[in-house]
Amino acid sequence: MAPTKGGDVEAAKDLKVEVPDGERSSPSGGNQITLERFNTPTRNVLKKFDDNGDGRIDASEIQAVVSTLVAEKFKSKAFKIGLIVLGVFTIILLGAMFGLTWAVVAALKDTQVDNSGVMTTNDGASTPVLTANLDMTVSSDGKLVSRASNSTIATTPAVTRSAISSETSFDLLL
């Protein structure tokens, strides 16, 4: 049996059987092969495709076997491609997570938060970490400064503490 273009001869080796010429033709003139000629595993598979249950496989039943084999081979190839894509995606995702973790550790290794809640550098001088935006910045002494006027911005606490009980009126809560 010569290999066909893109075909796989190995998959069909179990179906190879020597059948005398007298058994190949049926009274109806179609080509058929008896199932008893095949080994047990192959016979069990071919019984599923024996539509009329006569114990013989004809050309239309062989065509169904080949169609099923081709469909399963396509499904197998699609599954392998999907598995490879998922594997590559997983590796990229793990690399991104590792890189992000490394960047955070590298950024935070030279800073600490002191008792007052201010983030300072570990350079011995304990200078505050400077941050900025378009409207304001933090000066070297830790004060909030307007970029437009270069003056210190007065800030007030956002939360005031007071005792609350079940007897407190609703107007006082606002």
Side-chain angles (χ1 to χ4, degrees):
M1 182 183 311
T4 58
K5 182 178 180 182
D8 189 6
V9 178
E10 295 297 321
K13 281 189 176 180
D14 285 339
L15 297 177
K16 186 176 180 184
V17 140
E18 296 295 326
V19 179
D21 288 335
E23 286 192 32
R24 289 187 188 257
S25 59
S26 66
S28 63
N31 291 332
Q32 296 182 344
I33 301 172
T34 59
L35 292 176
E36 289 80 27
R37 290 280 189 183
F38 293 98
N39 60 21
T40 304
T42 305
R43 186 179 318 126
N44 291 338
V45 171
L46 291 175
K47 279 182 185 178
K48 296 175 186 174
F49 293 96
D50 186 13
D51 292 335
N52 54 11
D54 64 353
R56 293 176 176 257
I57 298 292
D58 62 15
S60 65
E61 293 166 341
I62 291 293
Q63 185 178 10
V65 170
V66 172
S67 296
T68 303
L69 180 65
V70 168
E72 290 299 320
K73 191 172 184 179
F74 175 77
K75 286 179 187 177
S76 175
K77 187 174 183 179
F79 180 74
K80 286 179 185 176
I81 290 171
L83 195 58
I84 290 170
V85 167
L86 284 175
V88 168
F89 178 74
T90 301
I91 290 171
I92 290 171
L93 187 61
L94 287 173
M97 287 173 34
F98 174 76
L100 184 60
T101 303
W102 179 82
V104 168
V105 169
L108 295 179
K109 72 177 185 173
D110 295 329
T111 60
Q112 66 182 5
V113 178
D114 64 10
N115 293 337
S116 65
V118 177
M119 184 181 282
T120 59
T121 60
N122 284 339
D123 60 0
S126 294
T127 56
V129 174
L130 303 178
T131 59
N133 67 17
L134 294 177
D135 297 326
M136 57 192 123
T137 186
V138 177
S139 65
S140 60
D141 59 355
K143 295 181 180 177
L144 197 57
V145 177
S146 170
R147 285 186 186 266
S149 65
N150 206 18
S151 62
T152 303
I153 299 173
T155 58
T156 60
V159 177
T160 56
R161 296 180 184 236
S162 63
I164 297 177
S165 71
S166 61
E167 298 168 358
T168 306
S169 69
F170 185 73
D171 293 334
L172 293 177
L173 294 176
L174 297 176

